[in-house]
Amino acid sequence: MRIHPLALALCVPALVLSAGTTKAGKRASGPVTSSKEAKAIAEQETGGKAVSARRTALNGASGGWEVEVRMPREAQGWRCVIDADTHLIHTKTRIPQPGAKAKPEGSPRVIKGTR
């Protein structure tokens, strides 16, 4: 059996390209075990800065993480629940900006009188 040179020339670059591809990032194996890891996942998903993370019960043995994310230049932040097994966001809810100081109610009072 004889292989046509043109067919061989077309197949070789495809084989070289497919052999040279690698995965873009290394996926962590096992459940999310630290708050630092949970915060990194939430920050990557939302584009904000994670303020706090705490363990929470979720649909499985390993549970999940609840992370509050502060969004700069936005009125509201995010509360993300991350599944510890899949490393994915389970739910994402808008919340008042976490870590923000309370706004004063009404205008400041002016007291007139003598010094």
Side-chain angles (χ1 to χ4, degrees):
M1 182 170 149
R2 187 169 167 207
I3 299 176
H4 196 277
L6 182 58
L8 184 61
L10 292 175
C11 290
V12 170
L15 291 172
V16 171
L17 288 175
S18 66
T21 60
T22 59
K23 291 185 178 182
K26 185 179 177 183
R27 175 99 188 231
S29 62
V32 177
T33 56
S34 69
S35 63
K36 185 177 179 181
E37 195 176 351
K39 286 179 178 181
I41 293 168
E43 287 176 355
Q44 183 178 0
E45 179 71 23
T46 61
K49 177 69 178 150
V51 176
S52 67
R54 65 185 181 106
R55 295 282 296 173
T56 185
L58 198 60
N59 58 354
S62 56
W65 290 86
E66 183 178 289
V67 182
E68 291 186 350
V69 181
R70 182 171 178 78
M71 298 299 292
R73 298 176 300 279
E74 288 188 26
Q76 292 185 319
W78 290 102
R79 177 175 292 128
C80 301
V81 177
I82 299 168
D83 189 344
D85 291 327
T86 62
H87 296 239
L88 297 175
I89 301 286
H90 184 26
T91 60
K92 193 163 90 169
T93 310
R94 280 292 202 176
I95 60 170
Q97 202 66 278
K101 295 179 181 174
K103 293 182 180 179
E105 294 182 17
S107 60
R109 290 185 353 182
V110 178
I111 301 174
K112 294 185 178 182
T114 59
R115 251 174 98 132

